[in-house]
Amino acid sequence: MTLLAENVAGAGGVEPETPQRRGRRGRRGAGAWRYAVLAVLGLYFLVPIAASVWFTVRDRGRGGFSGRVYAGIPGAEGFAEAFTRSLALGALTVVLVLLLMVPTVVLVELRLPRLRTTVELLTLMPLVLPPIALVVGVRSVLAWAPEHFYGTALAEAFFALQEPALPWILVFVYVVLALPFVYRALDAGVRGAGLRTLTEAARNLGASWPRVLVSVVLPALRTSVLNASFLTLALVLGEYTIAAILGFETFPTWIVRISGSQPQLSVAVSVLSLVVTWVLLLMISALDRRRGTKESS
Amino acid sequence: MLVVLGALPFLLYIAVFLVLPIGVLAVEAFRATDPVTFEETWSTASVEAITDGAYRRAYVGSLQLSLITAVIGAALGLALAIAVLRARRGRLLRRLVLTASGVLANFGGIPLAFAFIATIGGNAGVVTALLTDTLGLGLGGFSLYSMTGLALVYLYFLIPLMVLTIIPALEALRPQWREAADNLGATGWQYWRYVGGPVLLPPVLGATMLLFASAFAAYATARALVGSSIPLVTLQIADALSSNVVVGSENVGKALALGMVVLIGLVMVFYAWVQRRTQRWLT
């Protein structure tokens, strides 16, 4: 389990880069297989993307190309509603997961190191636990409201969680799914920032704990917080299983619903969402690196 | 010990939103609803039902698909990770591959399925059309909507997942070990056989297990591609839950989900055992 814990940081893809090791150039011909691997896998990864773009810009009626499908995305039936809902769910999930995890990670680092392994293991569980099993369990719990608590305040609360316009239950489950990414991002930040020294200094200078948290801890963690927030948001925007099984319409379930009648639109939205996520991740990774080099020089 | 209270929100959250649902799953899989009176009783009917017939085929199908794709994905991902790390002037390439891997491994799901449908799904697929119209070739009986097709699509997120999880381990291989081996006159093969291989084995096994879990749990991609015609547990669970006709199918869904948790648990135990035995150099 420790190994998984070490490596999950990479799952977001925004790892600080370590200096690259010099390859040994001495042996002749040793590099040929690398180019073969890069070429074959490059083809495998690029062809579907390229084909998707081709599929969406090709005008089948008249021949030639057009950006009509992409231009039609904002006005597509149901798109605005589903996308806004997913964005709102994403924002709520980010806020909730940060409220839950920032104090926990900081507390474990500074005052409760004995809990570290427990917290680490618990946050990694969602990584191997099938989301569909989790959501079947959640569905069973939600079914208690009409079956056992009918007419009580608790049932009302359960029903409120499942409001189709803004299903809070999704937020609560997404927080669980985001835990592995968020914990690893924050933990890396906490370790990298030398938080213990910083907080001790602040305490010695007379700062109160809330003040330490706001003026020392959060600024020191801002890249990790940014990282964690972005990964969570991307997770929510792409999550299909939970929303589909619980029967809510979010951005991904909308794509699947329209795919039958408007295949070009569904592919266009898919390609767009992949590319936008990638570009945002590249930007965060570049940001990370710039800050890193500035501070180390 | 007031400090311990600080960890309470987190522990409570895990208890309510992770442990409780799984616990309920474990209990309710052993409940049955009488089709006539709607009385609930204890019963092992659902659990027995999932060990046979179509459900058993679904488990076998899921396990086979996950195992095959995890092993292929691990091998190709390892090769890609090594190739990317060693590439000359590989800074940009590295960052492109790492971030792309992050997107594809974690947030792909639905988009991947549709990208593949656009590429080789049926006659409208761009590559299919290219092969048949221009070159006069077909895909040779290959169908995207089959186990092989699913495996091809799964690799599209499993290879990136392997790259992400194995790169930290590759970076932890000390160059000094290679230099020492070279100085002692070892060949490249000997280095990998006696030094690099044994050191990398635990992380590679760990990553393969993660790939296995990821393929086993995959639902979105399969759902968008094939509906429920292919025997996969996740598809069967969704089917069982959405069936309003058969009374008690809800419980079968719970039993199927519990079966997945148990299987993943077994794999984790096995993995922990292997790790304890092999992990020495990289911590």
Side-chain angles (χ1 to χ4, degrees), chain A residues 144-146 148-161:
Chain A
W144 287 353
H148 303 303
F149 308 140
Y150 196 74
T152 63
L154 197 59
E156 294 303 315
F158 270 42
F159 292 135
L161 283 181

Side-chain angles (χ1 to χ4, degrees), chain A residues 1 3 7 10-11 17-18 20 24 44-45 48 51-52 54 137 139-140 144 172 175 259 278 281-282 285 289, chain B residues 13 17 21 28 85 87 91 95 99-100 106 110 114-115 119 126 152 155-156 164-165 171 182 203 250 254 268:
Chain A
M1 208 55 214
L3 174 88
N7 290 349
E17 287 183 43
T18 49
Q20 204 184 337
R24 281 153 308 280
Y44 170 63
F45 280 101
S52 303
W54 177 263
R139 224 176 95 116
S140 314
W144 287 353
F172 290 122
V175 166
S259 66
W278 186 30
L281 212 68
L282 268 179
S285 127
R289 217 164 73 93
Chain B
Y13 197 94
F17 292 103
E28 294 193 355
L85 278 185
R91 266 293 161 86
R95 200 182 317 157
T99 48
N106 298 306
I110 295 296
F114 287 119
T119 311
V126 171
L152 190 73
L155 285 176
Y156 209 88
L164 286 180
T165 42
E171 283 176 338
D182 283 349
E250 174 95 38
K254 288 170 195 165
M268 288 301 295

Side-chain angles (χ1 to χ4, degrees), chain A residues 13-250:
Chain A
V14 193
E15 270 275 86
E17 287 183 43
T18 49
Q20 204 184 337
R21 133 160 101 111
R22 301 228 154 263
R24 281 153 308 280
R25 316 240 192 277
R27 291 186 306 285
R28 272 173 298 124
W33 70 269
R34 271 177 240 151
Y35 293 104
V37 166
L38 284 178
V40 171
L41 288 183
L43 213 61
Y44 170 63
F45 280 101
L46 290 180
V47 164
I49 302 287
S52 303
V53 174
W54 177 263
F55 182 81
T56 48
V57 297
R58 172 184 59 170
D59 203 323
R60 261 187 282 178
R62 284 167 291 165
F65 305 99
S66 88
R68 195 175 39 79
V69 180
Y70 287 92
I73 292 175
E77 179 268 322
F79 167 79
E81 202 192 329
F83 191 65
T84 327
R85 182 173 302 129
S86 271
L87 275 183
L89 292 173
L92 290 171
T93 309
V94 167
V95 171
L96 187 60
V97 80
L98 289 178
L99 279 179
L100 188 70
M101 289 315 287
V102 172
T104 308
V105 171
V106 170
L107 195 76
V108 165
E109 169 74 12
L110 296 180
R111 306 294 299 275
L112 294 167
R114 272 181 307 149
L115 277 183
R116 179 189 288 282
T117 322
T118 315
V119 172
E120 199 169 273
L121 281 178
L122 288 175
T123 49
L124 282 172
M125 264 169 66
L127 205 63
V128 283
L129 192 77
I132 199 159
L134 180 66
V135 74
V136 173
V138 168
R139 224 176 95 116
S140 314
V141 176
L142 288 175
W144 287 353
E147 280 174 19
H148 303 303
F149 308 140
Y150 196 74
T152 63
L154 197 59
E156 294 303 315
F158 270 42
F159 292 135
L161 283 181
Q162 303 173 66
E163 186 58 48
L166 188 65
W168 272 88
I169 187 65
L170 287 185
V171 175
F172 290 122
V173 181
Y174 288 162
V175 166
V176 173
L177 297 188
L179 282 180
F181 307 110
V182 172
Y183 174 78
R184 289 308 298 171
L186 293 179
D187 190 56
V190 163
R191 289 184 191 210
L195 212 57
R196 191 173 284 271
T197 325
L198 288 178
T199 47
E200 269 166 20
R203 292 288 288 164
N204 286 341
L205 292 168
S208 63
W209 272 114
R211 175 125 199 113
V212 170
L213 206 63
V214 172
S215 316
V216 177
V217 174
L218 283 181
L221 290 182
R222 65 177 181 272
T223 320
S224 328
V225 168
L226 182 71
N227 233 328
S229 312
F230 172 74
L231 295 178
T232 307
L233 190 66
L235 178 94
V236 174
L237 287 181
E239 204 289 323
Y240 174 78
T241 308
I242 310 282
I245 298 285
L246 291 179
F248 297 113
E249 179 147 292
T250 58

Side-chain angles (χ1 to χ4, degrees), chain B residues 24-213:
Chain B
V24 168
L25 205 62
V27 173
E28 294 193 355
F30 293 94
R31 304 283 288 171
T33 313
D34 190 284
V36 182
T37 57
F38 287 89
E39 286 277 314
E40 284 213 12
T41 48
W42 291 103
S43 151
T44 56
S46 309
V47 180
E48 279 163 21
I50 65 161
T51 57
D52 207 40
Y55 296 127
R56 186 198 171 88
R57 270 201 300 284
Y59 275 120
V60 174
S62 273
L63 287 173
Q64 273 177 345
L65 182 64
S66 319
L67 195 67
I68 293 169
T69 52
V71 170
I72 299 177
L76 292 176
L78 185 63
L80 181 59
I82 295 177
V84 168
L85 278 185
R86 298 272 183 81
R88 281 175 213 190
R89 286 189 286 281
R91 266 293 161 86
L92 183 67
L93 176 73
R94 228 171 98 97
R95 200 182 317 157
L96 286 176
V97 170
L98 272 180
T99 48
S101 299
V103 178
L104 292 177
N106 298 306
F107 319 117
I110 295 296
L112 286 193
F114 287 119
F116 270 90
I117 291 175
T119 311
I120 47 175
N123 293 327
V126 171
V127 170
T128 322
L130 195 74
L131 286 178
T132 40
D133 299 351
T134 328
L135 303 172
L137 304 165
L139 287 173
F142 171 85
S143 161
L144 182 61
Y145 311 106
S146 67
M147 274 292 188
T148 331
L150 273 186
L152 190 73
V153 183
Y154 277 24
L155 285 176
Y156 209 88
F157 63 81
L158 292 176
I159 294 174
L161 187 58
M162 184 66 185
V163 171
L164 286 180
T165 42
I166 209 62
I167 274 192
L170 285 175
E171 283 176 338
L173 273 185
R174 309 237 171 89
Q176 291 92 322
W177 294 342
R178 182 70 201 237
E179 285 157 12
D182 283 349
N183 288 341
L184 290 168
T187 61
W189 158 251
Q190 282 171 323
Y191 168 75
W192 283 111
R193 169 68 185 80
Y194 296 107
V195 184
V199 169
L200 270 187
L201 189 66
V204 167
L205 283 176
T208 311
M209 201 229 68
L210 189 63
L211 262 59
F212 176 86

